[in-house]
Amino acid sequence: MASSGASFKSGGARRKATKKGLIFTVMIVGASGCGKSTFINTLCENPVILRKDHADAEKAAQLKTVGLAPTTVELDEDGLKLSLTVVDTPGFGDNINNEPAFEDILGYIEHQYEEILAQESRIKRNPRFQDNRVHVLLYFIQPSGHSLREMDIEFMRLLGARVNVIPVIGKADSMTPQELNAFKKRIMEDISHYKIPIYDFPYDEEEDDEETIEENNELRGLLPFSVIGSEDEVVINGRRVRCRQYPWGVVEVDNSKHCDFSKLRYMLLSSHLHDLKDITHDVLYETWRTEKLSKEGHQDDDSGEEQ
Amino acid sequence: MAPPATSGPVSVGIANLPNQRHKIVSRKGASYNIMVVGESGLGKTTFINTLFTALMRDYKRPEQRFAKQLDRTVQIDVVRADIEEKGFNVRLSVIDTPGFGDYANNTDCWVPIVQFLDEQHQHILNHETVPNRKTDDLRVHACLYFIQPTGHTLKPLDIEVMKQLCTRVNLIPVIAKADTITPADMLAFKDRIRDCISTHNIQVFTPAVHSEDEDATRRNTSILAAMPFSVIASENDVQVNGQTVRGRQYLWGVAEVENEAHCDFKKLRNLLIRTHMHDLITSTHEHHYETHRVAKLTASGRSDDDPALQARRGFEAKMKEEEAELRKKFTEQVRLEENRFRQWEQKLISERDRLNEDLDKQHSLVKQLEEELEEIIAARKR
């Protein structure tokens, strides 16, 4: 699986990238109303995605195509500059028939791969080429409390082969702790039963050290991550807390007992960022490239024979 | 003669009719059918169990889900129960629709539901003319449509299905899992839903607001203002401030089911059972069933008249036509005959005249001869 012109693997290139600032692309997919936009805004600590205008009742019944709108935000993680591109997918899962939306999203991801392939094959490569490949896809599962739905299974299966998929439970404040645990267990059972490929924090028993193995195991046990998002800040006991206020209590976003948001953020933007990028480049992109070139290879042979 | 009996304000006992009716109804009991429609995981089963404080429906068993997860069908499940409270019996049926809206492609997922509703109306319609009219009445009296608590607005699937259902059954939209939405968001959400409903002309069940009782009017107005109802359901009891209430225990507090500030469960329960149950049952029969009946009957070509009457009318019309024709023929014949008679008359008259002339001639001849005779006699005498 030798990758020609792998510009991100060698150490020198990585140091250069660090100075320039890391590039990371996250795609967020899920049915409308799962808390995706709020999550993005909470993640970036900025109102990156504006609130959709839902006031038009006429539009509510219309067919919606999936919008794929990348937005870039500059973040500073522990002194490391990060250029985070977030691709939101409003309109996914909103229609009566959602199967066309799957193709749209898959097409977007494969299109980024095609661009890279085209760049690699040029005689004079563009040094300022921007790598827009999606490094991780966060799939928001609706907090039904039962198990995965048919749409979830089909979608994750389709896209797990092309991109790192991490399942996330949105609006996790609708479930009590027991319900949440049972729900997580059932989802993981479904994922293994239907052999859905997801990013489950792989580690190498021999190569990696104890700490990494333990960390990965812990994160694996937390899958799928439960997430609560909020853009409102309230002062509680003198400190500013991001939370949701209900008549019966206050849910804190950053409290790891309430949800896994902080762990997810740390994992995405600090500890596993490079791993996700590496897997995207070394495994997923290569698989796609092999499949694509072997298909074209056959065509070349045929045309040669004809001539 | 005795004076006529005075008809003053004497109570005959007609005012006792409602009491009699009450006794009859409480003896007969009632049949109540509720349908719940909505995607899976919205708390429909929990809601039904909470509403009737009894385990009406078993929860779906997660171990058995693999067999059906990718099935892509919508089913209709009917669960029956007999509930008794203070001597009053209710034959309750709860109709669930598992599989609705659960798939990637949900086109036509409402068709089995609509077919079921129509079949129930048709069943009763068919039984109107059968000798033995006692039959199971499974007409749905109230259909609760569970809306996902997205906080945005209605989805295209919701709008399409509600449009189909509202013409066939009393539709009550319900916001499920209301403990996901903060109070401010909830008000905005309800507003948007109401907006959507009125824009798309969906006829949801609206209870009559005005009644003679002040209390009832106030209650009805508050019920109307709270639609669509936000609902939290739970069968578990939790401790709050030393009291045992039904609610959901979170790490950050307890969301109570019967607390009006938390959700509209109490209002919905009142609507479904305490105050408007009879209203729902009668409006199903008087409004939705009648609509169905009229549609079906006019489609099969019948109009308001009795068929015998119609046949007779047709017959009468035919008779009139024949009568007119005969009359014409008769007049024609009469004219012909009259003509004939006239001609005959003419002939006779002319004959008579001729004969009269002859007679006159003869008379004059005779006179002449008489005169001649006289002359001759006179001449002889001289």
Side-chain angles (χ1 to χ4, degrees), chain B residues 5-18:
Chain B
T6 45
S7 54
V10 170
S11 70
V12 174
I14 292 179
N16 205 30
L17 184 61

PDB file of all heavy atoms in Angstrom, chain B residues 5-18:
ATOM      1  N   ALA B   5    -108.741  20.914  32.494  1.00  0.00           N
ATOM      2  CA  ALA B   5    -107.607  20.804  33.418  1.00  0.00           C
ATOM      3  C   ALA B   5    -106.634  21.942  33.159  1.00  0.00           C
ATOM      4  O   ALA B   5    -106.319  22.256  32.013  1.00  0.00           O
ATOM      5  CB  ALA B   5    -106.918  19.460  33.227  1.00  0.00           C
ATOM      6  N   THR B   6    -106.165  22.565  34.223  1.00  0.00           N
ATOM      7  CA  THR B   6    -105.228  23.683  34.052  1.00  0.00           C
ATOM      8  C   THR B   6    -103.847  23.139  33.701  1.00  0.00           C
ATOM      9  O   THR B   6    -103.356  22.194  34.314  1.00  0.00           O
ATOM     10  CB  THR B   6    -105.107  24.482  35.350  1.00  0.00           C
ATOM     11  OG1 THR B   6    -104.983  23.556  36.431  1.00  0.00           O
ATOM     12  CG2 THR B   6    -106.353  25.337  35.577  1.00  0.00           C
ATOM     13  N   SER B   7    -103.221  23.741  32.696  1.00  0.00           N
ATOM     14  CA  SER B   7    -101.860  23.300  32.331  1.00  0.00           C
ATOM     15  C   SER B   7    -100.863  24.313  32.870  1.00  0.00           C
ATOM     16  O   SER B   7    -100.258  25.074  32.155  1.00  0.00           O
ATOM     17  CB  SER B   7    -101.741  23.183  30.813  1.00  0.00           C
ATOM     18  OG  SER B   7    -102.124  24.409  30.226  1.00  0.00           O
ATOM     19  N   GLY B   8    -100.677  24.339  34.201  1.00  0.00           N
ATOM     20  CA  GLY B   8     -99.700  25.235  34.824  1.00  0.00           C
ATOM     21  C   GLY B   8     -98.347  24.559  34.895  1.00  0.00           C
ATOM     22  O   GLY B   8     -98.147  23.493  34.336  1.00  0.00           O
ATOM     23  N   PRO B   9     -97.392  25.170  35.611  1.00  0.00           N
ATOM     24  CA  PRO B   9     -96.051  24.572  35.681  1.00  0.00           C
ATOM     25  C   PRO B   9     -96.046  23.342  36.584  1.00  0.00           C
ATOM     26  O   PRO B   9     -95.650  23.400  37.738  1.00  0.00           O
ATOM     27  CB  PRO B   9     -95.184  25.703  36.226  1.00  0.00           C
ATOM     28  CG  PRO B   9     -96.124  26.604  36.948  1.00  0.00           C
ATOM     29  CD  PRO B   9     -97.465  26.463  36.297  1.00  0.00           C
ATOM     30  N   VAL B  10     -96.471  22.230  36.012  1.00  0.00           N
ATOM     31  CA  VAL B  10     -96.463  20.982  36.772  1.00  0.00           C
ATOM     32  C   VAL B  10     -95.325  20.146  36.216  1.00  0.00           C
ATOM     33  O   VAL B  10     -95.196  19.984  35.012  1.00  0.00           O
ATOM     34  CB  VAL B  10     -97.805  20.242  36.584  1.00  0.00           C
ATOM     35  CG1 VAL B  10     -97.729  18.853  37.155  1.00  0.00           C
ATOM     36  CG2 VAL B  10     -98.921  21.046  37.219  1.00  0.00           C
ATOM     37  N   SER B  11     -94.465  19.630  37.054  1.00  0.00           N
ATOM     38  CA  SER B  11     -93.331  18.857  36.531  1.00  0.00           C
ATOM     39  C   SER B  11     -93.804  17.451  36.230  1.00  0.00           C
ATOM     40  O   SER B  11     -94.333  16.746  37.078  1.00  0.00           O
ATOM     41  CB  SER B  11     -92.191  18.855  37.541  1.00  0.00           C
ATOM     42  OG  SER B  11     -92.541  18.089  38.653  1.00  0.00           O
ATOM     43  N   VAL B  12     -93.636  17.066  34.990  1.00  0.00           N
ATOM     44  CA  VAL B  12     -94.087  15.759  34.539  1.00  0.00           C
ATOM     45  C   VAL B  12     -93.008  14.711  34.796  1.00  0.00           C
ATOM     46  O   VAL B  12     -93.274  13.541  34.891  1.00  0.00           O
ATOM     47  CB  VAL B  12     -94.417  15.849  33.037  1.00  0.00           C
ATOM     48  CG1 VAL B  12     -94.760  14.496  32.471  1.00  0.00           C
ATOM     49  CG2 VAL B  12     -95.548  16.822  32.828  1.00  0.00           C
ATOM     50  N   GLY B  13     -91.798  15.145  34.849  1.00  0.00           N
ATOM     51  CA  GLY B  13     -90.712  14.182  35.066  1.00  0.00           C
ATOM     52  C   GLY B  13     -89.800  14.067  33.859  1.00  0.00           C
ATOM     53  O   GLY B  13     -88.918  13.204  33.793  1.00  0.00           O
ATOM     54  N   ILE B  14     -89.971  14.985  32.871  1.00  0.00           N
ATOM     55  CA  ILE B  14     -89.113  14.904  31.687  1.00  0.00           C
ATOM     56  C   ILE B  14     -87.674  15.248  32.057  1.00  0.00           C
ATOM     57  O   ILE B  14     -86.730  14.730  31.478  1.00  0.00           O
ATOM     58  CB  ILE B  14     -89.630  15.872  30.599  1.00  0.00           C
ATOM     59  CG1 ILE B  14     -90.973  15.358  30.095  1.00  0.00           C
ATOM     60  CG2 ILE B  14     -88.653  15.958  29.443  1.00  0.00           C
ATOM     61  CD1 ILE B  14     -91.586  16.218  29.052  1.00  0.00           C
ATOM     62  N   ALA B  15     -87.540  16.115  33.064  1.00  0.00           N
ATOM     63  CA  ALA B  15     -86.190  16.523  33.453  1.00  0.00           C
ATOM     64  C   ALA B  15     -85.384  15.350  33.970  1.00  0.00           C
ATOM     65  O   ALA B  15     -84.181  15.452  34.152  1.00  0.00           O
ATOM     66  CB  ALA B  15     -86.267  17.617  34.512  1.00  0.00           C
ATOM     67  N   ASN B  16     -86.051  14.235  34.220  1.00  0.00           N
ATOM     68  CA  ASN B  16     -85.334  13.068  34.722  1.00  0.00           C
ATOM     69  C   ASN B  16     -84.654  12.279  33.620  1.00  0.00           C
ATOM     70  O   ASN B  16     -83.960  11.302  33.889  1.00  0.00           O
ATOM     71  CB  ASN B  16     -86.337  12.154  35.467  1.00  0.00           C
ATOM     72  CG  ASN B  16     -85.636  11.298  36.486  1.00  0.00           C
ATOM     73  OD1 ASN B  16     -84.639  11.700  37.035  1.00  0.00           O
ATOM     74  ND2 ASN B  16     -86.159  10.105  36.700  1.00  0.00           N
ATOM     75  N   LEU B  17     -84.878  12.701  32.382  1.00  0.00           N
ATOM     76  CA  LEU B  17     -84.313  11.938  31.264  1.00  0.00           C
ATOM     77  C   LEU B  17     -82.788  11.811  31.322  1.00  0.00           C
ATOM     78  O   LEU B  17     -82.266  10.721  31.111  1.00  0.00           O
ATOM     79  CB  LEU B  17     -84.744  12.588  29.939  1.00  0.00           C
ATOM     80  CG  LEU B  17     -84.292  11.835  28.677  1.00  0.00           C
ATOM     81  CD1 LEU B  17     -84.890  10.448  28.661  1.00  0.00           C
ATOM     82  CD2 LEU B  17     -84.700  12.599  27.447  1.00  0.00           C
ATOM     83  N   PRO B  18     -82.028  12.921  31.599  1.00  0.00           N
ATOM     84  CA  PRO B  18     -80.578  12.747  31.667  1.00  0.00           C
ATOM     85  C   PRO B  18     -80.156  11.715  32.701  1.00  0.00           C
ATOM     86  O   PRO B  18     -79.205  10.972  32.480  1.00  0.00           O
ATOM     87  CB  PRO B  18     -80.052  14.123  32.049  1.00  0.00           C
ATOM     88  CG  PRO B  18     -81.084  15.054  31.571  1.00  0.00           C
ATOM     89  CD  PRO B  18     -82.391  14.320  31.710  1.00  0.00           C
TER      90      PRO B  18
END
